[in-house]
């Protein structure tokens, strides 16, 4: 899974990226601080079954902290996007091509309205204009790619397949291409679409293959009135208020041993002996957390993974009584799967041979036998029974 962080310059993308991943990206109050894309690992969080089951987990592919399972996801922070990027302005197509493999997009906007579309200081700028401008660039980018291949695609009767082959780098499939075409009443047989039809198709395909969530960042410099205004201006779009700066400061203070803080928490515990300046900063951040229930950064990631991308977590085990793998590790792996996945899909995510020889599954909680087509529930603990020697 890859989540792309996008937005106009100087909106706090790299700050949120660093807060999520602990990667030290360049951060500054001027445009194009990020030139080359930054790639890091962030952790979506869910309650671990360990407490419910009365065991202590021993994670192998993830982490666990205070009963919260931390599941790794890849995050990409790319250069700021300016108007006419699809024509080469700013970082241009380099920025856009970096995004092609993303499964979802988080657009970071400045909810305080103190930077414009070019990332320059201003006052009273409408952040909803940022969302519209960035989406227009993405649509024009994809439309341009489709238009360039239209002479070739128009000669084929299997248009959906032809387009999916061209757009495979965007994670487009025949199914998603057909769905986007149907939404716009466009035929996929011997395609000959107008420029406007291509644009409508690209708009739908982007929404399907690159679902978007908005991070209303710099909320510490604004208020909830601006946040609610943005939500009203973007019906149907998830908007999460965030303060990347406070989240990053809290995580760094926690790493240095001054406080104990878990991402997503609405409070922290003082451990060290901060000086006067640090105390003042911690008091400010504590007040912000109390007012807002957290910085919103972890909520942003969790919402992207579990709501926008409709992922659930399943825990495969080999011993349904001890909840262990063959090495004796308790609840070793937390597997991210799409909601609606089956026990067979879980087996396939572990090893193709395990899926090929699968007989049935067992619900480790209830000790019940399950069919291969059993639809998994979030937080299921499952044993796969197979004639194969493939192991979890």
């Amino acid at each position: 899974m890859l989540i792309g962080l996008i937005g106009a310059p100087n909106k706090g993308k790299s700050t949120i990226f660093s807060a999520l991943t602990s990667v030290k990206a360049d951060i500054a109050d001027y445009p194009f601080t990020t030139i080359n894309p930054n790639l890091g690992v962030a952790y979506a969080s869910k309650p671990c079954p360990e407490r419910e089951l009365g065991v202590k987990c021993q994670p192998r592919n993830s982490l666990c902290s205070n009963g919260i399972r931390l599941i790794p996801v890849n995050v990409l922070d790319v250069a700021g996007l300016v108007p006419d990027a699809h024509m080469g302005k700013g970082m241009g197509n380099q920025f856009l091509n970096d995004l092609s493999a993303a499964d979802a997009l988080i657009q970071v906007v400045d909810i305080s309205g103190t930077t414009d579309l070019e990332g320059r200081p201003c006052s009273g700028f409408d952040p909803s204009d940022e969302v519209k401008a960035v989406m227009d660039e993405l649509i024009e980018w994809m439309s341009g790619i489709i238009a360039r291949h239209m002479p070739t695609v128009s000669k084929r009767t299997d248009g959906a397949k032809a387009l999916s082959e061209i757009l495979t780098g965007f994670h487009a499939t025949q199914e998603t291409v057909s769905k986007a075409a149907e939404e716009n009443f466009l035929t996929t047989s011997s395609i000959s679409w107008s420029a406007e039809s291509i644009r409508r198709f690209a708009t739908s395909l982007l929404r399907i293959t690159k679902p978007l969530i908005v991070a209303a960042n710099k909320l510490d410099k604004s208020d909830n009135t601006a946040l609610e205004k943005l939500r009203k201006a973007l019906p149907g779009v998830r908007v999460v208020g965030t303060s990347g700066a406070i989240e990053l400061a809290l995580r760094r203070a926690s790493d240095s041993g001054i406080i104990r803080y878990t991402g997503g928490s609405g409070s922290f515990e003082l451990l060290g002996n901060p000086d006067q300046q640090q105390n003042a900063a911690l008091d400010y951040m504590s007040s912000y957390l109390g007012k807002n229930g957290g910085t919103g950064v972890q909520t942003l990631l969790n919402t992207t993974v579990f709501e926008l991308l409709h992922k659930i977590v399943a825990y495969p085990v080999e011993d349904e009584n001890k909840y262990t793998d063959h090495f004796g590790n308790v609840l070793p792996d937390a597997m991210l799967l799409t909601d609606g996945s089956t026990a067979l899909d879980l087996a396939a995510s572990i090893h193709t041979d395990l899926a090929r020889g699968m007989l049935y599954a067992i619900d480790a909680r209830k000790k019940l036998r399950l069919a291969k087509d059993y639809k998994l529930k979030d937080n299921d603990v499952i044993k796969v029974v197979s004639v194969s020697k493939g192991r979890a």
Side-chain angles (χ1 to χ4, degrees):
M1 180 188 300
L2 180 65
I3 297 171
L5 281 174
I6 66 171
N10 201 17
K11 307 301 178 180
K13 288 189 298 84
S14 294
T15 303
I16 287 182
F17 173 80
S18 293
L20 283 171
T21 65
S22 297
V23 173
K24 293 183 178 179
D26 291 332
I27 299 170
D29 290 327
Y30 53 82
F32 300 114
T33 305
T34 302
I35 296 177
N36 296 316
N38 298 307
L39 179 64
V41 176
Y43 292 88
S45 61
K46 279 246 178 180
C48 181
E50 62 171 10
R51 291 181 178 175
E52 172 204 344
L53 299 176
V55 296
K56 183 68 188 85
C57 71
Q58 297 164 294
R60 188 174 67 173
N61 75 338
S62 50
L63 304 172
C64 193
S65 176
N66 297 319
I68 300 298
R69 197 65 165 230
L70 304 172
I71 306 147
V73 295
N74 294 313
V75 177
L76 183 72
D77 169 34
V78 296
L81 185 64
V82 298
D84 295 328
H86 70 283
M87 298 175 66
K89 188 174 180 182
M91 297 304 298
N93 290 328
Q94 175 185 330
F95 162 91
L96 295 165
N97 292 335
D98 288 336
L99 288 176
S100 60
D103 297 292
L105 302 176
I106 295 175
Q107 181 175 350
V108 182
V109 304
D110 181 357
I111 193 64
S112 70
T114 56
T115 50
D116 64 15
L117 283 177
E118 304 278 352
R120 298 169 300 204
C122 69
S123 61
F125 191 81
D126 188 346
S128 67
D129 289 341
E130 293 179 36
V131 179
K132 295 168 186 173
V134 167
M135 286 309 301
D136 280 345
E137 288 304 316
L138 294 173
I139 292 165
E140 291 296 338
W141 166 53
M142 182 174 280
S143 296
I145 293 171
I146 295 169
R148 285 196 298 273
H149 290 87
M150 192 54 61
T152 302
V153 172
S154 64
K155 296 175 183 177
R156 293 179 54 172
T157 56
D158 56 346
K161 183 179 180 182
L163 276 177
S164 68
E165 290 170 356
I166 291 166
L167 301 172
T168 185
F170 296 87
H171 294 180
T173 63
Q174 289 188 57
E175 186 177 70
T176 56
V177 166
S178 296
K179 182 178 180 182
E182 288 171 8
E183 285 184 358
N184 294 282
F185 306 100
L186 297 171
T187 180
T188 54
S189 177
S190 301
I191 291 174
S192 181
W193 297 340
S194 66
E196 177 56 32
S197 293
I198 291 173
R199 198 176 195 283
R200 288 189 287 111
F201 170 81
T203 301
S204 293
L205 191 63
L206 273 168
R207 177 178 49 76
I208 295 167
T209 62
K210 302 278 185 288
L212 176 78
I213 187 171
V214 172
N217 198 37
K218 304 186 183 182
L219 190 58
D220 51 303
K221 297 181 180 180
S222 185
D223 55 40
N224 288 327
T225 301
L227 181 59
E228 290 308 313
K229 181 180 177 182
L230 179 61
R231 285 173 172 155
K232 289 180 180 178
L234 300 173
V237 177
R238 290 176 175 84
V239 179
V240 178
T242 63
S243 173
I246 290 180
E247 180 69 22
L248 181 59
L250 288 169
R251 294 200 184 201
R252 287 179 173 173
S254 184
D255 290 342
S256 67
I258 296 175
I259 63 173
R260 179 181 290 118
Y261 172 72
T262 301
S265 176
S267 63
F268 57 82
E269 179 185 353
L270 187 63
L271 297 177
N273 296 303
D275 58 31
Q276 185 175 359
Q277 185 177 6
Q278 290 172 328
N279 253 325
L282 289 171
D283 285 344
Y284 169 74
M285 291 188 286
S286 178
S287 175
Y288 180 88
L289 292 179
K291 178 182 177 182
N292 294 280
T295 68
V297 173
Q298 188 65 46
T299 299
L300 174 70
L301 181 64
N302 287 350
T303 302
T304 303
V305 173
F306 300 120
E307 296 184 26
L308 203 65
L309 291 174
H310 306 290
K311 297 299 180 181
I312 61 172
V313 183
Y315 296 84
V317 297
E318 292 186 58
D319 186 326
E320 70 273 29
N321 297 305
K322 296 181 179 179
Y323 313 112
T324 59
D325 63 10
H326 60 285
F327 292 117
N329 297 310
V330 178
L331 298 172
D333 296 324
M335 310 296 287
L336 279 175
L337 298 163
T338 302
D339 191 14
S341 294
T342 65
L344 182 61
D345 294 324
L346 175 62
S349 72
I350 299 167
H351 199 286
T352 54
D353 287 343
L354 192 69
R356 190 177 298 116
M358 183 178 177
L359 301 173
Y360 57 92
I362 295 175
D363 182 329
R365 282 187 177 87
K366 300 177 181 178
K367 309 299 187 280
L368 292 177
R369 179 167 168 163
L370 306 169
K372 291 192 289 185
D373 62 357
Y374 164 77
K375 286 191 176 181
L376 297 168
K377 299 189 296 295
D378 193 30
N379 246 26
D380 263 349
V381 182
I382 300 291
K383 174 181 178 177
V384 174
V385 179
S386 173
V387 296
S388 168
K389 292 184 179 180
R391 296 184 182 274

